[in-house]
Amino acid sequence: MNNITIEHILRAHKIIIPFIHNTPILTSGTIDQICKANLFFKCENFQKSGAFKIRGATNALFSLDDEEIKNGVATHSSGNHAAALALAAKWRKTKAYVVMPENSSEIKIKAVQEYGAKITFCAPNLEAREQGLEKVIQETGAVFIHPFNDPKIIAGQGSCALEFLNTQSGFDYIITPVGGGGLLSGTSLAVAAKSPKTQVIGVEPELANDAYLSLKSGSFVPAKNSNTIADGLRTSLGSLTFPIIKKNVSEIITVSESEIVLAMRCIWERMKIIVEPSSAICLGAILKKPQKFYGKKIGIILSGGNVDFNNLPW
Amino acid sequence: MNNITIEHILRAHKIIIPFIHNTPILTSGTIDQICKANLFFKCENFQKSGAFKIRGATNALFSLDDEEIKNGVATHSSGNHAAALALAAKWRKTKAYVVMPENSSEIKIKAVQEYGAKITFCAPNLEAREQGLEKVIQETGAVFIHPFNDPKIIAGQGSCALEFLNTQSGFDYIITPVGGGGLLSGTSLAVAAKSPKTQVIGVEPELANDAYLSLKSGSFVPAKNSNTIADGLRTSLGSLTFPIIKKNVSEIITVSESEIVLAMRCIWERMKIIVEPSSAICLGAILKKPQKFYGKKIGIILSGGNVDFNNLPW
């Protein structure tokens, strides 16, 4: 089913509804005044496991049958996908094995442990992560669940935009962050089917502008190693997500590190909610290009709220 | 109208409804698991001006006629009442004069300025504040609006519990912080009228345990100067609030500084919302006395979310 359609997203949504939150949509009069636009924030920072990632992980795990899943599931991730997979595996009553870079943030390690996954630490580079994962899979027989380049994951992440569009209509833009592109591609498919006049925009850090370069050149450009504060957005696009994004996303906007921090602080101060840098980046794009968004109705997916409070960027 | 009744609270609510948010009530599965109880959080941290204080201030200002208010309103406050009065004065189209200690937090000074109030700074002690206020009133003819010891303020703050009880019933406990006692006394009046089986509990810092000592001894005990992190709760009870609390509040629980910080971090991490120490203290009381609250249905008023992010307690 590499040709993912709205039917897959609807089915994913039906599968995951018993487990996830239909997260609230918040607005802020003050931020609307600052941006001179009408902003609607879909708060996946309030989602189970603290991020939208639980949508895809839950869909993936409940789409596998008992036989397929009997030896557990595995992934490598430094972040929210690891915690999501661990929690979804708990619900699915199977084991989760997670290969995490040894420099992962304490709060994310803690979350994965609390949900009962087995963690194997590795050196903080892609090669060590892939080798570590290979070894875990050989030893356990667990099924690999890719963080984004998987039709079930993409369909699951698309369910967030479905909920958004079930509540609000007439958006000029829907904006999501883009790392590997699971959320952005799923969102773009849902929006193309349900609200075709709405343009979908992806936002990424200037320091990890691979999606911008890929869309501009028309062919895949990998992400360089970067330490952008938006740690969920360091990844390259995947072979499944890139073509979907190429077809359905109108623009990628890049945002500097200081603009990300400014936007994060703005959301914390004005909305009194906690979002991680990878989520705040979407407001960063609006603050960066005010004339583009002036007077528009805009939906923003606040993707997650897992922040290390011992290591804040101010 | 020193004998404040539910009618005054209902009237206050009607007056302020066009201006304030009916704030959301949030729950957290994880915190319920930790506390083994059913907790409902009334999120006044999402309220206009970032705290419940806008309820009382708005009621006070819209209860005065144009003639009474023509020279503006004045108060002394280091915190949320100052910002609330400034915003309410803007709505009421009159001037606000605020005497603030020169060591007030930057974020609170900024808020008062943004809402257009005129600030006079003074030395950080009660005498200087009262003298500063006296001078401002003489010069301007502004009306003094006390932060809590005023029937209109108490009735306004009571409207929060009204909204709470309009949405949820069957609470065993409703818990609020207590500083000067405006919120606690207003809440206790609303609960006594609308849900008489619900017990109302006030929570204050061990370092500012004047309400605890007053209730225990039966006569007013003033607060000692303290630097509790819960900066909204450093004040003594007032001549109006104390008798109401004495009559309607079943218990005052005191919480240590480290317990306040732990509870604040728990809410930030688990609920992804920003509350100030003076609000987090209520969860601190539940974490401190788990056996008392085991299995109970509990309403907590999260009073505000104005936090100085440059000066976090961890």
Short mmCIF file of all heavy atoms in Angstrom, two decimals, chain B residues 113-156:
data_model
loop_
_atom_site.label_atom_id
_atom_site.label_comp_id
_atom_site.label_asym_id
_atom_site.label_seq_id
_atom_site.Cartn_x
_atom_site.Cartn_y
_atom_site.Cartn_z
N GLN B 113 2.97 47.24 32.12
CA GLN B 113 3.26 48.30 31.15
C GLN B 113 2.49 48.08 29.84
O GLN B 113 1.92 49.01 29.28
CB GLN B 113 4.77 48.34 30.86
CG GLN B 113 5.55 49.04 31.96
CD GLN B 113 7.05 48.87 31.81
OE1 GLN B 113 7.50 47.88 31.21
NE2 GLN B 113 7.82 49.78 32.38
N GLU B 114 2.49 46.84 29.38
CA GLU B 114 1.81 46.54 28.10
C GLU B 114 0.33 46.89 28.15
O GLU B 114 -0.25 47.30 27.15
CB GLU B 114 1.98 45.06 27.74
CG GLU B 114 3.25 44.78 26.97
CD GLU B 114 3.35 43.34 26.53
OE1 GLU B 114 2.30 42.66 26.40
OE2 GLU B 114 4.48 42.88 26.32
N TYR B 115 -0.28 46.67 29.31
CA TYR B 115 -1.71 46.98 29.42
C TYR B 115 -1.93 48.49 29.61
O TYR B 115 -3.06 48.93 29.74
CB TYR B 115 -2.34 46.20 30.56
CG TYR B 115 -2.35 44.70 30.35
CD1 TYR B 115 -2.00 43.82 31.39
CD2 TYR B 115 -2.71 44.14 29.13
CE1 TYR B 115 -2.01 42.45 31.20
CE2 TYR B 115 -2.71 42.76 28.93
CZ TYR B 115 -2.36 41.93 29.97
OH TYR B 115 -2.36 40.57 29.79
N GLY B 116 -0.86 49.26 29.68
CA GLY B 116 -0.98 50.71 29.66
C GLY B 116 -1.12 51.38 31.01
O GLY B 116 -1.49 52.55 31.08
N ALA B 117 -0.82 50.67 32.10
CA ALA B 117 -0.91 51.32 33.41
C ALA B 117 0.33 52.17 33.67
O ALA B 117 1.38 51.96 33.09
CB ALA B 117 -1.04 50.25 34.50
N LYS B 118 0.17 53.14 34.57
CA LYS B 118 1.31 53.96 34.97
C LYS B 118 1.91 53.35 36.25
O LYS B 118 1.22 53.18 37.25
CB LYS B 118 0.85 55.40 35.23
CG LYS B 118 2.01 56.32 35.59
CD LYS B 118 1.68 57.79 35.34
CE LYS B 118 2.92 58.66 35.52
NZ LYS B 118 3.35 58.80 36.92
N ILE B 119 3.19 53.02 36.19
CA ILE B 119 3.84 52.37 37.33
C ILE B 119 4.65 53.38 38.12
O ILE B 119 5.37 54.19 37.56
CB ILE B 119 4.79 51.24 36.85
CG1 ILE B 119 4.01 50.20 36.04
CG2 ILE B 119 5.50 50.59 38.03
CD1 ILE B 119 4.88 49.09 35.48
N THR B 120 4.52 53.30 39.45
CA THR B 120 5.44 54.03 40.34
C THR B 120 6.19 52.98 41.14
O THR B 120 5.57 52.13 41.79
CB THR B 120 4.65 54.92 41.32
OG1 THR B 120 3.75 55.74 40.57
CG2 THR B 120 5.58 55.78 42.15
N PHE B 121 7.51 53.01 41.06
CA PHE B 121 8.27 52.02 41.82
C PHE B 121 8.53 52.51 43.24
O PHE B 121 8.61 53.71 43.49
CB PHE B 121 9.60 51.72 41.11
CG PHE B 121 9.40 50.96 39.82
CD1 PHE B 121 9.48 51.61 38.60
CD2 PHE B 121 9.10 49.60 39.85
CE1 PHE B 121 9.27 50.92 37.41
CE2 PHE B 121 8.89 48.91 38.66
CZ PHE B 121 8.97 49.57 37.44
N CYS B 122 8.63 51.53 44.16
CA CYS B 122 8.90 51.89 45.56
C CYS B 122 9.82 50.84 46.17
O CYS B 122 10.10 49.81 45.56
CB CYS B 122 7.59 51.95 46.35
SG CYS B 122 6.80 50.34 46.56
N ALA B 123 10.28 51.09 47.38
CA ALA B 123 11.09 50.10 48.10
C ALA B 123 10.24 48.85 48.36
O ALA B 123 9.01 48.95 48.48
CB ALA B 123 11.60 50.69 49.41
N PRO B 124 10.89 47.69 48.44
CA PRO B 124 10.12 46.43 48.55
C PRO B 124 9.67 46.13 49.97
O PRO B 124 10.06 45.13 50.56
CB PRO B 124 11.10 45.38 48.02
CG PRO B 124 12.46 45.93 48.30
CD PRO B 124 12.33 47.43 48.31
N ASN B 125 8.85 47.00 50.54
CA ASN B 125 8.24 46.67 51.84
C ASN B 125 6.86 47.30 51.91
O ASN B 125 6.55 48.24 51.16
CB ASN B 125 9.14 47.12 53.01
CG ASN B 125 9.33 48.63 53.02
OD1 ASN B 125 8.38 49.40 53.24
ND2 ASN B 125 10.55 49.07 52.75
N LEU B 126 6.04 46.79 52.81
CA LEU B 126 4.63 47.17 52.85
C LEU B 126 4.46 48.66 53.12
O LEU B 126 3.60 49.32 52.52
CB LEU B 126 3.89 46.33 53.91
CG LEU B 126 2.36 46.52 53.93
CD1 LEU B 126 1.74 46.12 52.60
CD2 LEU B 126 1.73 45.72 55.08
N GLU B 127 5.31 49.20 54.02
CA GLU B 127 5.19 50.61 54.38
C GLU B 127 5.41 51.51 53.15
O GLU B 127 4.63 52.43 52.88
CB GLU B 127 6.23 50.93 55.46
CG GLU B 127 5.85 52.14 56.30
CD GLU B 127 7.00 52.50 57.25
OE1 GLU B 127 7.90 51.66 57.47
OE2 GLU B 127 6.99 53.64 57.75
N ALA B 128 6.47 51.19 52.41
CA ALA B 128 6.78 52.00 51.22
C ALA B 128 5.66 51.87 50.19
O ALA B 128 5.31 52.84 49.50
CB ALA B 128 8.11 51.55 50.61
N ARG B 129 5.09 50.66 50.08
CA ARG B 129 4.01 50.46 49.13
C ARG B 129 2.79 51.30 49.50
O ARG B 129 2.18 51.95 48.64
CB ARG B 129 3.64 48.97 49.06
CG ARG B 129 4.65 48.16 48.27
CD ARG B 129 4.54 46.67 48.53
NE ARG B 129 3.26 46.13 48.08
CZ ARG B 129 3.08 44.86 47.74
NH1 ARG B 129 4.11 44.01 47.74
NH2 ARG B 129 1.91 44.41 47.36
N GLU B 130 2.45 51.28 50.79
CA GLU B 130 1.26 52.02 51.22
C GLU B 130 1.46 53.52 51.11
O GLU B 130 0.56 54.25 50.69
CB GLU B 130 0.89 51.61 52.65
CG GLU B 130 0.31 50.19 52.68
CD GLU B 130 -0.05 49.70 54.09
OE1 GLU B 130 0.43 50.31 55.05
OE2 GLU B 130 -0.79 48.70 54.18
N GLN B 131 2.67 53.97 51.44
CA GLN B 131 2.97 55.41 51.30
C GLN B 131 2.93 55.82 49.83
O GLN B 131 2.39 56.87 49.48
CB GLN B 131 4.33 55.74 51.90
CG GLN B 131 4.32 55.80 53.42
CD GLN B 131 5.71 56.01 54.00
OE1 GLN B 131 6.69 56.08 53.25
NE2 GLN B 131 5.79 56.10 55.32
N GLY B 132 3.52 54.98 48.98
CA GLY B 132 3.54 55.27 47.55
C GLY B 132 2.13 55.35 47.00
O GLY B 132 1.79 56.26 46.23
N LEU B 133 1.29 54.45 47.44
CA LEU B 133 -0.09 54.43 46.97
C LEU B 133 -0.84 55.68 47.44
O LEU B 133 -1.56 56.31 46.66
CB LEU B 133 -0.80 53.16 47.49
CG LEU B 133 -2.26 53.05 47.09
CD1 LEU B 133 -2.40 52.82 45.59
CD2 LEU B 133 -2.95 51.91 47.85
N GLU B 134 -0.65 56.02 48.71
CA GLU B 134 -1.30 57.19 49.29
C GLU B 134 -0.98 58.44 48.46
O GLU B 134 -1.87 59.23 48.13
CB GLU B 134 -0.81 57.35 50.74
CG GLU B 134 -1.64 58.28 51.61
CD GLU B 134 -3.12 57.95 51.54
OE1 GLU B 134 -3.52 56.77 51.72
OE2 GLU B 134 -3.89 58.89 51.27
N LYS B 135 0.30 58.55 48.10
CA LYS B 135 0.76 59.71 47.34
C LYS B 135 0.10 59.75 45.95
O LYS B 135 -0.40 60.79 45.50
CB LYS B 135 2.29 59.63 47.21
CG LYS B 135 2.94 60.88 46.69
CD LYS B 135 4.42 60.95 47.11
CE LYS B 135 5.14 62.08 46.37
NZ LYS B 135 5.66 61.67 45.06
N VAL B 136 0.05 58.58 45.31
CA VAL B 136 -0.56 58.49 43.97
C VAL B 136 -2.03 58.88 44.03
O VAL B 136 -2.53 59.63 43.18
CB VAL B 136 -0.40 57.06 43.40
CG1 VAL B 136 -1.32 56.84 42.21
CG2 VAL B 136 1.05 56.80 43.01
N ILE B 137 -2.72 58.41 45.06
CA ILE B 137 -4.15 58.69 45.18
C ILE B 137 -4.40 60.18 45.42
O ILE B 137 -5.30 60.78 44.82
CB ILE B 137 -4.78 57.81 46.29
CG1 ILE B 137 -4.84 56.36 45.81
CG2 ILE B 137 -6.16 58.32 46.68
CD1 ILE B 137 -5.30 55.37 46.86
N GLN B 138 -3.56 60.75 46.27
CA GLN B 138 -3.70 62.20 46.52
C GLN B 138 -3.47 63.01 45.25
O GLN B 138 -4.18 63.97 44.97
CB GLN B 138 -2.71 62.65 47.60
CG GLN B 138 -3.21 62.38 49.01
CD GLN B 138 -2.17 62.72 50.07
OE1 GLN B 138 -1.11 63.29 49.74
NE2 GLN B 138 -2.46 62.39 51.30
N GLU B 139 -2.49 62.61 44.48
CA GLU B 139 -2.15 63.37 43.27
C GLU B 139 -3.17 63.21 42.16
O GLU B 139 -3.40 64.11 41.35
CB GLU B 139 -0.78 62.94 42.75
CG GLU B 139 0.38 63.46 43.58
CD GLU B 139 1.71 62.84 43.18
OE1 GLU B 139 1.75 62.12 42.16
OE2 GLU B 139 2.70 63.05 43.89
N THR B 140 -3.77 62.00 42.08
CA THR B 140 -4.60 61.70 40.90
C THR B 140 -6.09 61.65 41.19
O THR B 140 -6.90 61.80 40.28
CB THR B 140 -4.21 60.32 40.32
OG1 THR B 140 -4.48 59.32 41.32
CG2 THR B 140 -2.75 60.28 39.92
N GLY B 141 -6.45 61.41 42.43
CA GLY B 141 -7.86 61.19 42.74
C GLY B 141 -8.37 59.83 42.31
O GLY B 141 -9.58 59.60 42.22
N ALA B 142 -7.45 58.90 42.04
CA ALA B 142 -7.85 57.56 41.63
C ALA B 142 -8.48 56.79 42.80
O ALA B 142 -8.22 57.10 43.96
CB ALA B 142 -6.62 56.80 41.12
N VAL B 143 -9.32 55.81 42.47
CA VAL B 143 -9.98 54.98 43.48
C VAL B 143 -9.08 53.79 43.80
O VAL B 143 -8.61 53.09 42.89
CB VAL B 143 -11.32 54.42 42.95
CG1 VAL B 143 -12.03 53.60 44.03
CG2 VAL B 143 -12.20 55.54 42.44
N PHE B 144 -8.86 53.53 45.07
CA PHE B 144 -8.05 52.38 45.47
C PHE B 144 -8.84 51.08 45.29
O PHE B 144 -9.96 50.95 45.79
CB PHE B 144 -7.63 52.55 46.94
CG PHE B 144 -6.90 51.37 47.52
CD1 PHE B 144 -5.96 50.64 46.78
CD2 PHE B 144 -7.14 50.98 48.84
CE1 PHE B 144 -5.29 49.55 47.32
CE2 PHE B 144 -6.46 49.89 49.40
CZ PHE B 144 -5.54 49.17 48.64
N ILE B 145 -8.26 50.13 44.56
CA ILE B 145 -8.88 48.80 44.44
C ILE B 145 -7.97 47.80 45.16
O ILE B 145 -6.89 47.45 44.67
CB ILE B 145 -9.06 48.37 42.96
CG1 ILE B 145 -9.79 49.45 42.15
CG2 ILE B 145 -9.77 47.01 42.89
CD1 ILE B 145 -11.26 49.59 42.47
N HIS B 146 -8.42 47.35 46.31
CA HIS B 146 -7.60 46.43 47.12
C HIS B 146 -7.49 45.06 46.41
O HIS B 146 -8.44 44.62 45.79
CB HIS B 146 -8.26 46.24 48.50
CG HIS B 146 -7.37 45.59 49.50
ND1 HIS B 146 -7.14 44.24 49.52
CD2 HIS B 146 -6.60 46.12 50.50
CE1 HIS B 146 -6.29 43.95 50.50
NE2 HIS B 146 -5.95 45.07 51.11
N PRO B 147 -6.34 44.41 46.52
CA PRO B 147 -6.17 43.14 45.80
C PRO B 147 -7.08 42.00 46.29
O PRO B 147 -7.35 41.08 45.52
CB PRO B 147 -4.70 42.78 46.02
CG PRO B 147 -4.16 43.73 47.01
CD PRO B 147 -5.09 44.91 47.09
N PHE B 148 -7.54 42.06 47.53
CA PHE B 148 -8.42 40.96 47.97
C PHE B 148 -9.46 41.38 49.00
O PHE B 148 -10.53 40.79 49.06
CB PHE B 148 -7.60 39.76 48.50
CG PHE B 148 -6.59 40.14 49.56
CD1 PHE B 148 -6.95 40.21 50.89
CD2 PHE B 148 -5.28 40.42 49.21
CE1 PHE B 148 -6.02 40.55 51.86
CE2 PHE B 148 -4.34 40.77 50.17
CZ PHE B 148 -4.71 40.83 51.50
N ASN B 149 -9.17 42.39 49.80
CA ASN B 149 -10.07 42.69 50.92
C ASN B 149 -11.18 43.64 50.49
O ASN B 149 -11.31 44.75 51.02
CB ASN B 149 -9.28 43.27 52.09
CG ASN B 149 -9.91 42.91 53.43
OD1 ASN B 149 -10.34 41.78 53.62
ND2 ASN B 149 -9.98 43.87 54.33
N ASP B 150 -11.99 43.20 49.53
CA ASP B 150 -13.00 44.04 48.89
C ASP B 150 -14.11 43.10 48.43
O ASP B 150 -13.85 42.10 47.76
CB ASP B 150 -12.33 44.74 47.69
CG ASP B 150 -13.30 45.55 46.85
OD1 ASP B 150 -14.46 45.13 46.65
OD2 ASP B 150 -12.87 46.60 46.33
N PRO B 151 -15.35 43.40 48.80
CA PRO B 151 -16.46 42.47 48.46
C PRO B 151 -16.58 42.21 46.96
O PRO B 151 -16.91 41.08 46.56
CB PRO B 151 -17.69 43.21 48.98
CG PRO B 151 -17.19 44.15 50.02
CD PRO B 151 -15.81 44.55 49.59
N LYS B 152 -16.31 43.22 46.15
CA LYS B 152 -16.42 43.03 44.69
C LYS B 152 -15.32 42.09 44.18
O LYS B 152 -15.53 41.33 43.23
CB LYS B 152 -16.31 44.38 43.97
CG LYS B 152 -17.41 45.35 44.31
CD LYS B 152 -18.73 44.90 43.72
CE LYS B 152 -19.82 45.93 44.01
NZ LYS B 152 -21.15 45.44 43.62
N ILE B 153 -14.17 42.22 44.78
CA ILE B 153 -13.05 41.35 44.39
C ILE B 153 -13.36 39.91 44.81
O ILE B 153 -13.23 38.97 44.01
CB ILE B 153 -11.72 41.82 45.05
CG1 ILE B 153 -11.34 43.22 44.56
CG2 ILE B 153 -10.62 40.81 44.83
CD1 ILE B 153 -10.80 43.28 43.15
N ILE B 154 -13.80 39.73 46.03
CA ILE B 154 -14.11 38.39 46.53
C ILE B 154 -15.20 37.74 45.67
O ILE B 154 -15.09 36.58 45.26
CB ILE B 154 -14.53 38.45 48.02
CG1 ILE B 154 -13.33 38.90 48.87
CG2 ILE B 154 -15.06 37.10 48.49
CD1 ILE B 154 -13.69 39.25 50.32
N ALA B 155 -16.25 38.51 45.38
CA ALA B 155 -17.34 37.97 44.56
C ALA B 155 -16.84 37.60 43.17
O ALA B 155 -17.21 36.55 42.62
CB ALA B 155 -18.49 38.98 44.47
N GLY B 156 -15.99 38.45 42.60
CA GLY B 156 -15.44 38.14 41.27
C GLY B 156 -14.62 36.86 41.29
O GLY B 156 -14.79 35.99 40.42
#
